[in-house]
Amino acid sequence: IAIIYHRPSFTKQMSQGDGMKIVIIGGGIGGPFLALHLHKNGYQPILYEKVLNLKNVGGSTVIPPNGFSCLREVGLDQIVLQKGCVINKAINKLPDGTILSSSTLLQKWKDRWGYPMIGIRRSVLQQILHDRLVELNITRHLGKRLVNILSEGGEEEKAKILFEDGTEEEADMVVGCDGLHSTVRYTLFGKEEPRYSGFAQTSGVSPRPEKGYDGNPIFSVYGADAFGLSYPFSDTHTGWAITTAAPETRESWRPLDDAQMEEFKKSVYATTWAPPMCDVIPHAIKMTRLGLYDRPTLKQWHKGRCVLLGDASHPASPAAGQGNSQAMEDGVILGEYILQFCPPGTTPSFSSILSALEKYQDIRLPRTSGMTEGARARVATRMVSSETARVKRDEEIKRVYDESDEKQLAKLDPTFLWRGDLSKL
């Protein structure tokens, strides 16, 4: 039985000049989601995105039940569900094809938490959010790159921000949803040097093989200092990723060119690893490669009238499978505290804004920190090189589904029933 919390929403229609002015920086996933959530509660946020034309950036992603509970808040859960591919099976393998363990427990997720887990193309999720922004006439400015925060604001002044084209904007609140390389974060708290993890990830999109994907499985392949992942995100295509120990690799989501793709298609992962990898990598139509970096955990997410959300505040490793969902959770909780302390149609005091930001941080920082630590531990478990360590890892994977279904599901309750946080409001 899914635990569902409903909060009162405001439907008052306001002009841009009425009430609290909230500026959102970043049009990836967290920014548009927050804009929709605020609009539902009666606010008129303004969103700025540095990219002029939204492109097919990134590969596939998963949305688990906690992500869907967020999407339900803005009425997009069913639309997203229809656009993705429900994952029904988990299979853990070795590169030679040996199956370490498998489970159909995923088929019970919907009954327990209200939603399954799906694979979906990230660009499809982003477009769904932006289409709804347009439908609701929520103001968004594309091709507007933030370069500086002239003032984070305070008791006597609003926040003031500067864009690359020389224009300025003032706001009662600025929310930085501008991702891993957040300009808002760097401006507020300084540009810390990220630490290279020693691993790089090559990910891609490929036609879905005719065999091996019955039941829509998610494959995890455990090698020596290498880890592979593959799952379908539609009836016709699958996403995959290979994480390997590698010299420091540039942190970028830019697609590989044809020559780079052909080189990877000749790698051992494409030529010697058993299905699914040898079935998907050689036929990839798109690939990206990025180094995996670790950033210091911020203990403070807000300064003055400015606050961070999503990867800008708590960068998530791909190993977590929670990046988009955590950004949306941030949006729900921040939106609820804005509603509580800064009612729509009013011009709130600085102390009210500060109370909303502090409450948001108090709720979200412990949860996201736990997610980040869990992802780091997951990478450490997957990426081992010595034979002794690999044997130990493989034995643990063989036993991963030994517990009863109920015990396994209960361990996931804290992740997927996150809305219990609202009991602290």
Side-chain angles (χ1 to χ4, degrees):
I1 299 174
I3 297 178
I4 301 174
Y5 292 81
H6 293 284
R7 301 289 297 175
S9 62
F10 290 78
T11 57
K12 175 185 175 183
Q13 297 299 309
M14 300 180 295
S15 69
Q16 291 287 2
D18 289 335
M20 183 180 183
K21 185 175 183 179
I22 304 173
V23 166
I24 298 170
I25 305 298
I29 303 299
F33 177 85
L34 174 64
L36 292 172
H37 194 272
L38 290 170
H39 182 274
K40 180 197 73 168
N41 284 344
Y43 303 90
Q44 293 293 316
I46 303 172
L47 183 142
Y48 290 93
E49 163 56 40
K50 64 183 178 182
V51 175
L52 180 59
N53 297 307
L54 298 178
K55 300 178 181 178
N56 188 8
V57 177
S60 57
T61 186
V62 295
I63 302 179
N66 57 314
F68 273 111
S69 69
C70 296
L71 290 165
R72 181 183 61 236
E73 297 274 337
V74 295
L76 291 177
D77 52 333
Q78 295 305 312
I79 295 174
V80 172
L81 186 60
Q82 293 168 10
K83 293 290 186 178
C85 183
V86 176
I87 307 299
N88 289 313
K89 185 189 305 182
I91 301 175
N92 299 310
K93 307 179 72 173
L94 294 178
D96 64 6
T98 301
I99 295 178
L100 297 173
S101 56
S102 64
S103 173
T104 57
L105 190 65
L106 283 157
Q107 296 176 16
K108 296 186 177 183
W109 283 23
K110 183 178 180 180
D111 288 340
R112 190 175 185 93
W113 300 300
Y115 297 98
M117 179 173 76
I118 69 163
I120 191 171
R121 193 138 189 189
R122 182 186 182 278
S123 58
V124 171
L125 175 61
Q126 182 186 35
Q127 193 61 55
I128 290 171
L129 293 167
H130 276 269
D131 286 347
R132 185 56 60 90
L133 293 179
V134 173
E135 179 185 333
L136 296 174
N137 294 316
I138 296 174
T139 302
R140 60 176 192 152
H141 299 284
L142 305 183
K144 294 278 285 188
R145 181 186 293 271
L146 177 76
V147 294
N148 197 13
I149 296 177
L150 301 177
S151 172
E152 62 263 19
E155 185 73 50
E156 302 297 330
E157 61 178 346
K158 294 184 178 183
K160 182 181 290 187
I161 56 181
L162 174 67
F163 295 95
E164 191 174 49
D165 61 7
T167 59
E168 298 179 4
E169 178 76 279
E170 285 189 344
D172 295 295
M173 181 185 294
V174 174
V175 187
C177 308
D178 46 344
L180 198 60
H181 299 285
S182 170
T183 300
V184 178
R185 172 174 173 152
Y186 294 159
T187 304
L188 293 178
F189 301 110
K191 189 171 183 177
E192 72 282 333
E193 287 298 321
R195 181 183 63 83
Y196 182 55
S197 67
F199 304 112
Q201 183 181 89
T202 302
S203 58
V205 171
S206 301
R208 179 169 171 160
E210 292 183 3
K211 298 181 180 179
Y213 280 81
D214 295 340
N216 297 336
I218 181 169
F219 291 97
S220 298
V221 185
Y222 296 82
D225 264 346
F227 173 76
L229 186 72
S230 180
Y231 55 87
F233 61 80
S234 73
D235 291 338
T236 58
H237 288 84
T238 185
W240 56 266
I242 297 286
T243 304
T244 61
E248 188 161 359
T249 304
R250 185 183 175 192
E251 190 177 36
S252 172
W253 282 102
R254 292 183 179 178
L256 300 188
D257 60 31
D258 291 344
Q260 292 171 317
M261 286 180 58
E262 288 304 315
E263 180 181 2
F264 196 78
K265 288 179 180 181
K266 297 174 183 177
S267 68
V268 295
Y269 315 107
T271 59
T272 67
W273 279 28
M277 294 309 171
C278 68
D279 290 337
V280 294
I281 298 176
H283 304 290
I285 58 177
K286 178 182 178 181
M287 292 186 196
T288 58
R289 181 178 298 137
L290 70 156
L292 302 183
Y293 286 77
D294 204 5
R295 282 172 169 73
T297 300
L298 283 181
K299 300 300 183 184
Q300 185 77 12
W301 290 0
H302 63 89
K303 187 175 182 181
R305 294 171 177 265
C306 302
V307 66
L308 303 175
L309 181 148
D311 279 352
S313 53
H314 47 84
S317 163
Q322 279 281 340
N324 294 320
S325 296
Q326 290 307 303
M328 291 189 290
E329 285 187 16
D330 285 352
V332 172
I333 297 299
L334 177 58
E336 297 292 357
Y337 280 122
I338 291 174
L339 179 63
Q340 178 177 343
F341 290 98
C342 313
T346 67
T347 301
S349 66
F350 176 61
S351 62
S352 295
I353 291 174
L354 197 59
S355 293
L357 302 186
E358 288 176 345
K359 288 289 188 178
Y360 157 68
Q361 177 181 288
D362 288 347
I363 289 291
R364 295 299 299 156
L365 200 154
R367 177 168 168 83
T368 57
S369 296
M371 291 282 183
T372 300
E373 289 302 318
R376 289 172 181 158
R378 198 170 292 116
V379 171
T381 300
R382 292 172 176 173
M383 308 298 290
V384 294
S385 54
S386 72
E387 182 176 357
T388 300
R390 282 187 281 123
V391 169
K392 180 181 178 181
R393 175 200 65 190
D394 296 347
E395 287 301 317
E396 291 175 350
I397 295 170
K398 289 179 182 178
R399 298 191 299 269
V400 71
Y401 302 123
D402 283 355
E403 290 185 322
S404 69
D405 288 357
E406 176 57 34
K407 286 186 177 180
Q408 293 180 61
L409 293 169
K411 288 181 178 179
L412 293 171
D413 280 341
T415 298
F416 298 148
L417 296 180
W418 70 280
R419 287 290 272 157
D421 289 350
L422 292 186
S423 64
K424 299 177 183 179
L425 276 174

